[in-house]
Amino acid sequence: MTKPLAGHQVGEQIRNQVPDAVIEASEEWVLIKPESLLAVANFLKTTPGLEFDYLNCITGVDYLDYLEVVYHLTSMRHNHGIVLKARCSRENAEVPSLVGLWRGADLQEREIYDLLGITFVGHPNLKRIFMWQGFEGHPLRRDYL
Amino acid sequence: MELRTEPFVLNMGPQHPSTHGVFRMRVTYDGEVVMDLEPMFGYLHRGIEKLAETRTYTQFIPLTDRLAYLSSMTNNHAYVLAVEKLAGITVPERAEYIRVIMDEMMRISSHLMAVGFFLNDLGCSVFTPLLYMYREREKLLDLFEMVCGQRLTYNYMRIGGVSHDLPEEFMPALKQFVAEMPSYIEEYEALLAENEILLARTKGVGILPRELAINASVSGPVLRASGVKWDIRKVDPYSVYDRFEFDIPTGEVGDNYDRYRVRIMEMQQSLRILRQAIEQLPEGEVCAKVPQFLRPPKGEAYGRIEGPQGELGFYIVSDNSIAPYRLHIRPPTLINLTALRDMIRGWKLADAIATFGSIDICLGEVDR
């Protein structure tokens, strides 16, 4: 079984390494400040014992008050997983891109940019993927139609 | 006189027989060699994730059939698994076994198509190998038709189980199929395994190195062909997969040949699981009691299975209403295309088509 690591334990490890990065940690997930996301992701990927080498899935969710990006990570070596979250405002929706760490983020980040309008800062080729260039709005936002 | 050459750009698709649907690649060539390529998506985008937000949990099941339409059963399974995780529903044992049987039949059927179309893309005497594969797939479609009345879009699984119990005529027909199929696989092997054209066109072509495969979140047979022993049925067993004995076939170098071989070997492993499942299939209920308008508690869940093309996951957020607040599909085939550029660059156009075919994509799922 892929062991889901407890969010508050991993959150504690992150706190020791990257101070002020963790906003909240629950049993299932860790909520990270967007500006520290890159440092935290790098820590999770390279620290022995954690080694999250595989990025399963990125999801964007619109909660009307804010937008949330959810990262599901797995370590193939240790067969354990963790869920990371980052929140940003709807008006100034910006989150750092993780393409530099996990290439698998490439198309998924483009999809979220296209459908939810979150800009992934540092993405090498951030443009619409499903909708055409020039399309207005972001269909997966809750207030779109 | 000096001859001047310059690269040129050619659009492959969206209407092109080898792109398996409406996929488009914008390819830059130097003569016949691919210098660069950019995949273009969206020609089949129907907004399935948005549609989910206006449907009840049960009403969404038929839409999952329309993701990767060559593996509808496994799509059904991934979705109901995620909802059951979200709502904490226990599935009767018999239903779990029926699901495993359906999944493995679907895997064989999907791999048959993957291998068949791959050989087609290689130009192996146009359509002959594919028609061999169609012959066996037809038997599987007959079996699917027996259980749910449909041959392509099954809508068979329900939250809490499956829609009907197996009909009487199903088991004898399945047993016959499981008994016959190994000889058909032997037939493919005799025709193809040592085939000089196949070897020349696939060995060492379109290599996907192990590190890149992991880094690019590649999953399924493509990942395993690159030598990574990673199969969700083993590493994170769902349903009753922990009760069966089977191996995870892997490749060595991650070239087109390995991807082809892994699929053939996976069909044999699927038959192994089917034999055990038939033997162990218990009697009993096939669906748990679930309210018609299910309201899962507030929260979120990520359910995933090993689909024929890779890790198929559903991330669902519930706000305790009858429709999902947000539903996201992790599409294995879209993410497998992340590494396409690295696999194709530097190869000739004909090899590019073969490599693309070896990934086995389905545009219904790529674009959703």
Side-chain angles (χ1 to χ4, degrees), chain A residues 1, chain B residues 73-74 76-78 80-82 84-85 89-104 107 157 160-162 232-234 236-244 246 273 277 280 303-306:
Chain A
M1 284 299 251
Chain B
M73 275 296 183
T74 43
N76 279 187
H77 193 173
V80 294
L81 192 82
E84 284 153 8
K85 204 170 159 187
I89 295 167
T90 320
V91 181
E93 207 181 10
R94 184 175 171 85
E96 293 281 28
Y97 273 89
I98 294 176
R99 284 179 179 184
V100 166
I101 290 173
M102 293 302 147
D103 278 10
E104 294 312 315
R107 195 179 318 275
M157 301 204 185
V162 296
I232 295 165
R233 291 174 292 172
K234 274 269 194 237
D236 191 13
Y238 52 94
S239 215
V240 283
Y241 273 109
D242 47 356
R243 299 186 195 175
F244 305 118
F246 62 100
I273 298 174
Q280 298 174 15
R304 59 175 187 173
I305 66 159
E306 182 70 39

Side-chain angles (χ1 to χ4, degrees), chain A residues 55-56 60 62 85 142, chain B residues 38 217 300 325-326 330 342:
Chain A
L55 174 66
N56 291 74
D62 179 6
K85 291 182 172 190
R142 293 292 295 195
Chain B
E38 189 184 4
S217 299
E300 60 207 45
Y325 181 80
R326 170 86 168 94
R330 184 221 193 258
D342 302 75

Side-chain angles (χ1 to χ4, degrees), chain A residues 125, chain B residues 7-12 25-30 32-39 340-342 344-347 349 352:
Chain A
N125 182 28
Chain B
F8 69 102
V9 175
L10 190 73
N11 271 303
M12 257 188 71
M25 290 191 273
R26 201 168 166 277
V27 194
T28 312
Y29 297 101
D30 176 12
E32 215 186 321
V33 178
V34 176
M35 291 170 68
D36 199 4
L37 122 161
E38 189 184 4
L340 180 69
R341 189 157 158 262
D342 302 75
I344 287 181
R345 236 177 350 183
W347 290 98
L349 169 62

Side-chain angles (χ1 to χ4, degrees), chain B residues 224-344:
Chain B
R224 292 190 282 276
S226 295
V228 186
K229 223 175 163 94
W230 187 263
D231 187 318
I232 295 165
R233 291 174 292 172
K234 274 269 194 237
V235 297
D236 191 13
Y238 52 94
S239 215
V240 283
Y241 273 109
D242 47 356
R243 299 186 195 175
F244 305 118
E245 261 177 46
F246 62 100
D247 301 323
I248 310 174
T250 52
E252 277 152 26
V253 285
D255 56 5
N256 287 350
Y257 185 73
D258 278 348
R259 286 189 278 277
Y260 154 78
R261 285 295 303 169
V262 162
R263 291 205 174 90
I264 295 277
M265 289 188 282
E266 276 188 12
M267 284 196 254
Q268 289 164 334
Q269 295 303 322
S270 291
L271 287 171
R272 241 176 105 183
I273 298 174
L274 278 175
R275 270 185 223 110
Q276 298 170 52
I278 293 170
E279 215 164 86
Q280 298 174 15
L281 180 72
E283 292 297 322
E285 289 288 308
V286 293
C287 196
K289 296 241 177 318
V290 175
Q292 195 179 2
F293 295 103
L294 181 71
R295 288 170 189 273
K298 251 188 187 158
E300 60 207 45
Y302 179 68
R304 59 175 187 173
I305 66 159
E306 182 70 39
Q309 284 105 344
E311 175 181 338
L312 176 64
F314 281 77
Y315 179 78
I316 306 175
V317 181
S318 162
D319 60 350
N320 197 18
S321 70
I322 56 170
Y325 181 80
R326 170 86 168 94
L327 184 146
H328 175 67
I329 303 154
R330 184 221 193 258
T333 50
L334 172 73
I335 297 170
N336 284 358
L337 287 176
T338 308
L340 180 69
R341 189 157 158 262
D342 302 75
M343 290 158 76
I344 287 181

